[in-house]
Every structure is written in structure tokens, then in C-alpha cells.
Amino acid sequence: QLQLQESGPGLVKPSETLSLTCTVSGDSISSHSYYWGWVRQPPGKGLEWIASVYYSGTTYYNPSLKSRLTTSVDTSKNQLSLKLRFVTAADTALYYCARGSGYRFDFWGQGTLVTVSS
Amino acid sequence: SYELTQPPSVSVSPGQTASITCSGDRLWDKYASWYQQKPGQPPVLVIYQDKKRPSGIPERFSGSTSGNTATLTISETHPMDEADYYCQGWDSSTDVVFGGGTKLTVL
């Protein structure tokens, strides 16, 4: 049974780097059939796509976040990670990891809340 | 940048049909998907590639796309269908794009 578990610091200070990990169980992150995505949702607001990551290393980033983003895949741990630099209060959100198939995300993790505050 | 526009809210009476629209340039070419999100839960895919339904999603949920508008239709609406619904498209220039979301109220 597929499970996606996001983990992160919970609280990050402004101007620092937000680091998140998504641990995949029940499927291989190296699967040729899928890719993996990050999506965030500010409190009370809508969904915002962050990035799509392929095990091969190919990545697609939201243009509005691209300059601050780094993603990676660790196949040995079946994990993907996200780093967002120079965070502000506008980066406060529930961050989701999701499995991508074709042009959609067919399975989502429960999300991890990240608050940016001093 | 590519944008998808949804009405902020839609209301429907139980047992009636709810229609939620999503508008965007050339949406017919963007492989529209729809997600249902209930409070405190992650989104759930209910329609993909305009009109396909994932396994486990009731037949009451259907999708269609014509021109620049995709429509999610929920027939025989149940109180449990009350949720936020998001459309999503894929564009070659900006990759994934989500609509702003529509709150469906069943009353």
C-alpha cells in the first residue's frame, strides 16, 4: 500500500532555508511509471504546484519559485527532498508530496505544516 | 503564465446535480484533472484526462472539456460531497497549474 510521509522542521526563521523530506513506501521512487511532486497550500488558500521530480534527475519547477528551489532524489532511502531558500512569511503553508502519473497527481501524502516566523 | 479560473463557490441541494467549471486558454489541450479536498485532508483525484475516473471514485462524478472550459459534474449530490474542488492542467511552458478552487456547499 502506497504511503507518502512528509517531514520537516515545522518552524523556520525568515531568510533561512526550508528543508523537507518525503519518504515513499509501498512503491519504488525509481519507478519508470511515475514521477513525484511537491505542492503547497497556504492556510485557508488554494493549491500551488512547486515542482515535479523524476528519478532520473529531470526536474520541473514553478517559475515563481525556481530561483530559490532545489530538489533531489535519494533512491537508496526511497526519499525525495526539497530545499527552499530565503523563506518569508508567504512561504508558510502545508507542504504536500504527491505521486505523479501522466498529467495528474494520483496519490498524496498527508502534508507537513511549515510556519515561517521569527 | 498560464492560469485556470474557477468560481469561488457553488451551491446545490442534496440529490441534485452540481456543475463546477474551470476556464483557461486552450484548456481542451491541457489534460484537465479534478481534485476533491475535504477539511483537514489531502486532495483526492476524482477525474483525470478530462473525463477519466480513477478506481474507487463513484460514477456520480464525471468530467468533460469543451474549448476553453472543463466541467466537473456531480450527479445525485450527497452531503458527503461537500468539499473544495480544484481543477488542474498541464501546460508545456509552466508545467502544472491549479485553479483557485471552488467550495461546493450541499444544502
Side-chain angles (χ1 to χ4, degrees):
Chain A
Q1 182 179 355
L2 178 64
Q3 290 188 355
L4 306 178
Q5 182 65 60
E6 304 89 345
S7 57
L11 181 64
V12 182
K13 290 182 169 55
S15 80
E16 295 190 344
T17 296
L18 180 164
S19 297
L20 298 176
T21 298
C22 174
T23 301
V24 179
S25 56
D27 195 2
S28 171
I29 206 166
S30 302
S31 170
H32 289 244
S33 301
Y34 302 108
Y35 58 96
W36 308 91
W38 290 98
V39 177
R40 70 181 183 179
Q41 185 171 34
K45 296 188 178 180
L47 302 172
E48 180 183 28
W49 171 70
I50 300 172
S52 295
V53 182
Y54 292 74
Y55 81 98
S56 62
T58 300
T59 56
Y60 299 91
Y61 292 160
N62 185 322
S64 69
L65 299 171
K66 185 175 183 177
S67 64
R68 299 192 289 132
L69 262 180
T70 302
T71 58
S72 62
V73 173
D74 187 335
T75 55
S76 67
K77 296 181 179 179
N78 226 35
Q79 288 179 337
L80 55 153
S81 66
L82 175 148
K83 293 185 186 297
L84 183 64
R85 297 176 292 278
F86 308 115
V87 297
T88 70
D91 296 310
T92 293
L94 187 59
Y95 284 76
Y96 290 106
C97 169
R99 186 178 73 175
S101 176
Y103 302 101
R104 75 264 186 193
F105 293 113
D106 65 355
F107 192 87
W108 298 59
Q110 291 296 312
T112 186
L113 180 63
V114 177
T115 301
V116 179
S117 175
S118 55
Chain B
S1 63
Y2 190 74
E3 294 183 358
L4 295 175
T5 301
Q6 299 180 234
S9 63
V10 168
S11 297
V12 65
S13 299
Q16 300 302 303
T17 297
S19 295
I20 301 173
T21 59
C22 173
S23 300
D25 186 42
R26 295 175 55 89
L27 188 52
W28 59 270
D29 195 32
K30 306 297 182 187
Y31 309 96
S33 298
W34 290 91
Y35 301 86
Q36 176 193 67
Q37 186 181 33
K38 296 182 179 180
Q41 298 183 22
V44 173
L45 180 69
V46 295
I47 293 290
Y48 66 99
Q49 285 181 228
D50 300 323
K51 59 183 180 182
K52 296 182 179 181
R53 201 171 47 250
S55 61
I57 301 301
E59 291 183 9
R60 303 184 295 102
F61 289 81
S62 63
S64 63
T65 299
S66 178
N68 294 333
T69 301
T71 302
L72 172 68
T73 302
I74 309 171
S75 60
E76 301 176 353
T77 306
H78 296 178
M80 70 173 66
D81 299 329
E82 189 163 286
D84 293 327
Y85 290 85
Y86 295 90
C87 63
Q88 176 243 306
W90 183 89
D91 179 72
S92 60
S93 62
T94 57
D95 211 74
V96 177
V97 177
F98 287 99
T102 298
K103 181 177 181 60
L104 177 67
T105 301
V106 182
L107 45 67

